[in-house]
Amino acid sequence: MTEYLCIASDVRLGANVTLSKFINLYGCEIGDNTKIGAFVEIQKGAKVGCNCKISSHTFICEGVTIEDEVFIGHGVTFINDIYPHATAPGGALQTENDWKVEATLIKRGASIGSGATILARVTVGENAMVGAGAVVTRSVPANTTVAGNPAKPISRG
């Protein structure tokens, strides 16, 4: 089997970035010393900081900013559309002009557990922890652990 990497020419990779097989990167920025696992997609306009670990099967969409020293577990999904639809009001398939990208921010040192879903317009605070499988519908304060669906605080440090 040959190594498969799909990295568009507009991707900005920092120094010492480690890339696994079967990834798709386009129009994004990846900081120094970050590790990207297999089967990860990072879309245009997304930013990943330095010294991060993005585990396999994760989807990071346009509008997501991940600061330095963040851990993203396996199979984490980010959402950037509050009211998704396939078609525009006239019935034609939507284009980029038919919806608005919403921002999401993951602050320095945060950890997102495997299988979590992070909705748009959310900030996960510094050193916060999101439990595996959580659905984050509201911002998470710094140094707080959340879990569940919807995610709720279970401890504060």
Side-chain angles (χ1 to χ4, degrees), residues 114-137:
S114 293
T117 300
I118 313 296
L119 272 63
R121 298 185 186 165
V122 165
T123 296
V124 176
E126 287 191 12
N127 301 308
M129 183 168 289
V130 173
V135 178
V136 180
T137 61

Side-chain angles (χ1 to χ4, degrees), residues 7-24:
I7 303 172
S9 61
D10 58 356
V11 171
R12 292 178 34 197
L13 293 176
N16 301 314
V17 171
T18 302
L19 302 173
S20 295
K21 297 177 183 179
F22 304 104
I23 61 170
N24 189 27

Side-chain angles (χ1 to χ4, degrees), residues 2 25 34 37 45 73 104 106 118-119 134:
T2 60
L25 309 177
T34 288
T104 299
I106 310 300
I118 313 296
L119 272 63

Side-chain angles (χ1 to χ4, degrees), residues 12 18 22 30 54 68 74 82 88 102-103 107 129 142 146 151-152:
R12 292 178 34 197
T18 302
F22 304 104
I30 312 293
I54 311 298
D68 298 342
H74 300 279
I82 298 297
E102 301 288 349
K107 303 282 274 178
M129 183 168 289
V146 298
K152 294 183 178 161

Side-chain angles (χ1 to χ4, degrees), residues 3 5 11 24 38-39 42 56 63 94 103 105 108 126 128 130 132 134 148:
E3 185 172 65
L5 298 173
V11 171
N24 189 27
F39 302 104
I42 305 177
S56 70
Q94 279 193 345
L105 175 61
R108 180 184 197 105
E126 287 191 12
V130 173

